[in-house]
């Protein structure tokens, strides 16, 4: 006996295209997490490179400003005080004492032994 085509549609099951795989609930949750991690990592890398470009630009601005200050003769380097603070102090690189016009030692505690 011949089976009509319409009956075959309801009775016949298609051949599997790939072998059946067991359901793994962890794998189904791991894939979205891995995608989220990859997306977050890519965004972090984009932000980091943007900040690096900004820092590079800032470095150029600061270097230019320092060059201008040096050219104007107004750059002041800090001197290391090697003696107790008083109205005159000794500093690194000089044999004779220099006048100290600025000190945060108004209570006289900078040279206290304790």
């Amino acid at each position: 006996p011949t089976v009509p085509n319409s009956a075959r549609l309801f009775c016949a099951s298609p051949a599997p295209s790939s072998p059946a795989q067991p359901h793994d609930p962890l794998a189904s949750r791991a894939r979205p997490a891995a995608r989220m991690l990859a997306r977050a990592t890519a965004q972090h890398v984009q932000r980091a490179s943007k900040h690096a470009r900004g820092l590079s630009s800032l470095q150029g601005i600061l270097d230019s400003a320092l060059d201008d200050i040096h050219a104007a003769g107004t750059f002041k380097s800090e001197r290391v005080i090697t003696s107790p603070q008083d109205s005159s102090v000794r500093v690194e690189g000089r044999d004779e004492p220099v006048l100290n016009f600025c000190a945060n030692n108004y209570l006289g505690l900078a040279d206290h032994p304790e």
Side-chain angles (χ1 to χ4, degrees), residues 28-97:
S28 63
R29 284 187 296 200
R31 273 184 244 113
R35 282 193 297 270
M36 286 174 41
L37 179 62
R39 193 170 31 250
T41 302
Q43 289 170 350
H44 177 73
V45 168
Q46 281 180 330
R47 280 194 299 268
S49 66
K50 182 178 175 183
H51 289 303
R53 286 191 304 271
L55 287 176
S56 175
S57 175
L58 176 62
Q59 183 68 45
I61 292 167
L62 294 176
D63 287 342
S64 175
L66 279 174
D67 290 343
D68 292 345
I69 292 169
H70 279 285
T74 56
F75 182 83
K76 178 190 172 283
S77 58
E78 294 296 320
R79 300 184 212 172
V80 177
I81 298 174
T82 59
S83 67
Q85 286 194 34
D86 205 353
S87 59
S88 67
V89 292
R90 294 204 177 271
V91 294
E92 265 184 19
R94 292 194 66 153
D95 292 331
E96 65 279 350

